[in-house]
């Protein structure tokens, strides 16, 4: 039991300086299987949960959220499933006008995405600049690919030696601080090529719940867990 547990989630977010939470939304397929539904239904339920969870994180003062919506490896899934996820994303982007407080960023390689979709992503990003909360949606994202493209961007600037700062400047997440807390649902204990550079000093939280089942109460528990941890950044306790 940690000493912060009586405080509100918003107070704990503030006190523990939890600025950025990043989610691996795993378990949609198993959630659907357990209900004898097609995997696509799991992604649909996952998209609904995503909206609720992001809104809740904003409501307790977490300024930056990142979600892993589609990895560079997810193209290996059956076409029907890939198409279903892309349709959900497209629908979400078209309806995202409802979110008045969120600044949107799509992080990842857009090259293989449909032109129409890219135009919508860009418009949403441009129309929402300067809002109080930031949501990064990782789409056709892979951490290793991101680092390689950042190195190539440095080379294109004519650099022959690079610093950590040079590389960070060219990451897809250059506009936000590193994640403080990385959460993976779905009972798997791996990071799946997610925010590899940015998570060097992140705290991790693994939940046995399937993503569509996640609730604000679970977020409160994650916040309590985070607030009870001692981050040392490779150093020693101040005491
Ligand atoms: C991982 O679960 C989830 C994905 C690969 C897709 C995540 C997509 C969504 C939540 C919907 C679209 C998102 C937005 C932002 C509108 P899995 O399918 O690998 O689950 P499993 O391990 O149980 O099979």
């Amino acid at each position: 039991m940690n000493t912060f547990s009586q405080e509100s989630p918003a107070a704990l977010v503030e006190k523990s300086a939890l600025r950025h939470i990043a989610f691996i939304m795993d378990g949609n397929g198993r959630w659907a299987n357990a209900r004898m539904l097609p995997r696509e239904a799991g992604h649909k339920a996952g998209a609904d949960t995503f909206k609720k969870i992001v809104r809740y994180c904003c409501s307790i003062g977490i300024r930056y959220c990142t979600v892993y919506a589609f990895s560079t490896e997810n193209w290996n899934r059956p076409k029907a499933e890939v198409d279903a996820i892309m349709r959900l994303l497209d629908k979400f982007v078209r309806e995202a006008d409802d979110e008045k407080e969120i600044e949107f960023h799509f992080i990842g390689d857009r090259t293989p995405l449909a032109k129409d979709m890219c135009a919508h992503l860009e418009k949403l990003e441009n129309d929402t600049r300067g809002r109080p909360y930031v949501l990064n949606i990782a789409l056709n994202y892979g951490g290793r690919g991101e680092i390689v493209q950042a190195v190539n961007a440095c080379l294109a600037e004519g650099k022959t030696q690079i610093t950590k700062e040079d590389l960070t400047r060219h990451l897809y997440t250059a506009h936000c601080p590193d994640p403080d807390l990385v959460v993976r649902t779905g009972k798997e204990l791996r990071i799946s090529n997610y925010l590899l550079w940015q998570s060097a000093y992140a705290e991790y939280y693994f939940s046995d719940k399937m993503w569509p089942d996640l609730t604000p109460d679970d977020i409160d528990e994650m916040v309590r867990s985070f607030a009870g941890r001692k981050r040392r950044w490779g150093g020693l306790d101040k005491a």
Side-chain angles (χ1 to χ4, degrees):
M1 170 95 172
N2 71 61
T3 52
F4 298 118
S5 54
Q6 299 310 311
E7 296 182 62
S8 74
L12 290 177
V13 164
E14 165 108 42
K15 196 168 189 169
S16 63
L18 173 47
R19 287 186 299 173
H20 186 174
I21 185 164
F23 294 99
I24 301 178
M25 308 184 284
D26 194 16
N28 294 345
R30 279 165 288 160
W31 181 92
N33 284 345
R35 290 161 181 77
M36 316 280 260
L37 294 169
R39 292 179 59 82
E40 289 72 13
H43 295 309
K44 159 96 182 48
D48 293 341
T49 298
F50 147 78
K51 283 185 246 172
K52 280 185 217 141
I53 293 295
V54 169
R55 280 188 199 135
Y56 184 69
C57 288
C58 296
S59 78
I60 58 171
I62 301 175
R63 172 113 201 269
Y64 300 88
C65 280
T66 301
V67 296
Y68 208 175
F70 194 86
S71 77
T72 44
E73 288 70 37
N74 286 153
W75 295 108
N76 297 326
R77 296 188 177 206
K79 184 171 181 311
E81 183 171 347
V82 170
D83 289 349
I85 296 174
M86 290 299 165
R87 274 198 303 276
L88 284 169
L89 279 160
D90 201 46
K91 181 168 183 289
F92 173 75
V93 170
R94 285 165 195 270
E95 292 169 359
D97 282 352
D98 296 352
E99 305 292 343
K100 301 291 181 216
E101 302 227 279
I102 297 181
E103 174 178 309
F104 288 87
H105 294 259
F106 294 88
I107 62 170
D109 176 12
R110 295 182 197 184
T111 331
L113 303 180
K115 274 213 177 74
D116 222 34
M117 187 172 192
C118 288
H120 285 125
L121 303 186
E122 224 168 277
K123 181 165 181 345
L124 186 59
E125 288 179 329
N126 291 333
D127 290 352
T128 60
R129 281 285 176 273
R131 293 184 176 176
Y133 298 97
V134 171
L135 172 62
N136 300 313
I137 300 182
L139 175 53
N140 195 31
Y141 174 88
R144 287 181 171 180
E146 178 186 34
I147 293 169
V148 169
Q149 73 75 35
V151 171
N152 282 328
C154 292
L155 294 175
E157 286 176 339
K159 292 203 161 54
T160 51
Q161 291 238 319
I162 63 170
T163 62
K164 287 181 264 187
E165 289 72 26
D166 290 328
L167 195 134
T168 302
R169 202 159 39 81
H170 287 293
L171 292 176
Y172 298 129
T173 53
H175 55 280
C176 58
D178 284 343
D180 300 297
L181 180 63
V182 176
V183 171
R184 182 177 192 136
T185 56
K187 225 174 168 175
E188 304 286 1
L189 305 178
R190 53 178 174 260
I191 57 169
S192 302
N193 204 13
Y194 191 45
L195 303 174
L196 296 181
W197 179 276
Q198 298 90 332
S199 297
Y201 283 100
E203 297 293 322
Y204 279 84
Y205 188 103
F206 294 96
S207 165
D208 285 353
K209 279 200 168 177
M210 300 299 125
W211 174 259
D213 288 329
L214 208 72
T215 66
D217 284 347
D218 297 314
I219 300 296
D220 291 350
E221 185 47 43
M222 290 166 198
V223 168
R224 277 193 289 274
S225 167
F226 178 82
R229 298 186 196 187
K230 284 206 168 81
R231 301 182 84 186
R232 288 190 288 269
W233 313 95
L236 296 177
D237 282 346
K238 285 201 180 93

